Amino acid sequence: AQKVTQAQTEISVVEKEDVTLDCVYETRDTTYYLFWYKQPPSGELVFLIRRNSFDEQNEISGRYSWNFQKSTSSFNFTITASQVVDSAVYFCALSEAYPGGGADGLTFGKGTHLIIQP
Amino acid sequence: GAVVSQHPSRVICKSGTSVKIECRSLDFQATTMFWYRQFPKQSLMLMATSNEGSKATYEQGVEKDKFLINHASLTLSTLTVTSAHPEDSSFYICSARNSRSADTQYFGPGTRLTVL
C-alpha cells in the first residue's frame, strides 16, 4: 500500500517570504514516481514536476525548487520570494510503476492550502 | 503541451437520473485513462483505471455498477454515474496517460456534478 502525507494543512505567509511545503511518502516499490500539482480555485490541476525514484537530483525551476531525499522518503517543495499568485492548494502525489513501464494511478496527499498575503 | 478535455464542465441533475462525463485526449493517444473524485476541500481519490478495449479496474470501495466506465477508443473514456444521489455530488477529474510517454499523465479540467 502506498501513502502520501502532507502534514501542513494550511500555510500563510507574507509576500516575498520563502515557504516550504512538506511531503512524506510510503511505498514498498523500488520504482515509483513522485509529483507535485497546484490546484487554483478554478479546480484545474497544474502539473509542476515529476520525479522517478532513481533520480535524486534536486531541481530548480525559477522560484520553485524540490528536494528529494529517499533516505527520509521526502519530496519537499520550496517557493522562494513568494507571490500572491502562488496562493493555491498544492498536492504531492505518488505513483507506482505499472508493469509495462510508466506511471500508474496517483495516490494524492491531502494537500496544503498556501495563502500568500500581500 | 498535451491537452485533455472533459465535458460537461458542470452539471446539475435530479436525484435518480444518470449522468455521463466524457474525457478526451485531444492531441495524443491514451491507452489508459484514470478517473478521480474530489470532495470539497479534500484530496483527489483514484476511482478507477480505464483501459481501451477492456474492462476498467476499480479501486476498493468504488461501486462498479454505480460508476460505469467505457473506454471505447484511444482518445475517449466515459464515466456514467448511474441513479445519482446527492452524496455523489463531487468534482470528477480524469487523466490520460500518453501511450508514447507513459510516465506522464495529463489531467482534464474536471467536471463538477451537483445532484439535487
Side-chain angles (χ1 to χ4, degrees):
Chain A
Q2 46 189 351
K3 184 180 177 181
V4 176
T5 301
Q6 293 180 256
Q8 304 147 310
T9 305
E10 183 175 292
I11 299 175
S12 181
V13 300
V14 177
E15 198 172 21
K16 297 185 183 177
E17 286 185 18
D18 299 348
V19 59
T20 295
L21 309 182
D22 297 333
C23 173
V24 175
Y25 64 92
E26 296 176 30
T27 179
R28 294 179 182 175
D29 274 17
T30 54
T31 304
Y32 52 89
Y33 296 86
L34 293 164
F35 303 80
W36 274 97
Y37 288 90
K38 174 182 180 180
Q39 188 177 42
S42 65
E44 187 160 357
L45 285 174
V46 178
F47 169 81
L48 297 178
I49 191 171
R50 177 190 70 248
R51 258 290 172 269
N52 73 51
S53 52
F54 298 111
D55 183 2
E56 282 193 78
Q57 271 194 329
N58 292 326
E59 181 157 335
I60 298 174
S61 177
R63 297 184 296 106
Y64 296 169
S65 62
W66 291 269
N67 185 332
F68 176 26
Q69 296 210 348
K70 286 179 77 170
S71 60
T72 56
S73 297
S74 65
F75 187 42
N76 297 337
F77 172 34
T78 297
I79 301 175
T80 57
S82 60
Q83 299 176 3
V84 173
V85 293
D86 295 327
S87 297
V89 179
Y90 289 84
F91 290 99
C92 179
L94 166 70
S95 170
E96 295 172 343
Y98 85 109
D104 214 339
L106 304 185
T107 297
F108 284 84
K110 293 190 174 182
T112 297
H113 185 197
L114 178 63
I115 301 168
I116 310 296
Q117 299 180 29
Chain B
V3 178
V4 175
S5 70
Q6 279 185 245
H7 177 81
S9 59
R10 187 182 295 266
V11 57
I12 300 173
C13 69
K14 291 182 178 179
S15 187
T17 59
S18 294
V19 175
K20 180 186 283 188
I21 302 170
E22 294 184 349
C23 177
R24 291 181 186 273
S25 56
L26 299 184
D27 52 359
F28 64 95
Q29 293 185 336
T31 309
T32 302
M33 293 183 175
F34 302 92
W35 287 96
Y36 298 84
R37 178 169 59 185
Q38 184 180 29
F39 291 109
K41 298 190 185 299
Q42 294 189 26
S43 187
L44 287 83
M45 300 294 294
L46 177 65
M47 298 175 67
T49 301
S50 169
N51 296 300
E52 187 267 336
S54 64
K55 289 183 179 180
T57 304
Y58 291 81
E59 296 299 302
Q60 194 171 15
V62 178
E63 301 174 60
K64 59 182 179 182
D65 295 331
K66 173 77 170 174
F67 300 99
L68 300 178
I69 291 173
N70 184 280
H71 194 152
S73 78
L74 287 171
T75 59
L76 172 65
S77 175
T78 60
L79 168 68
T80 300
V81 183
T82 62
S83 187
H85 290 285
E87 57 265 30
D88 299 323
S89 299
S90 188
F91 192 52
Y92 293 88
I93 308 175
C94 72
S95 71
R97 184 166 63 199
N98 190 327
S99 301
R100 291 188 176 185
S101 176
D103 55 356
T104 299
Q105 293 180 28
Y106 301 94
F107 281 85
T111 296
R112 193 165 300 282
L113 169 64
T114 302
V115 185
L116 302 176

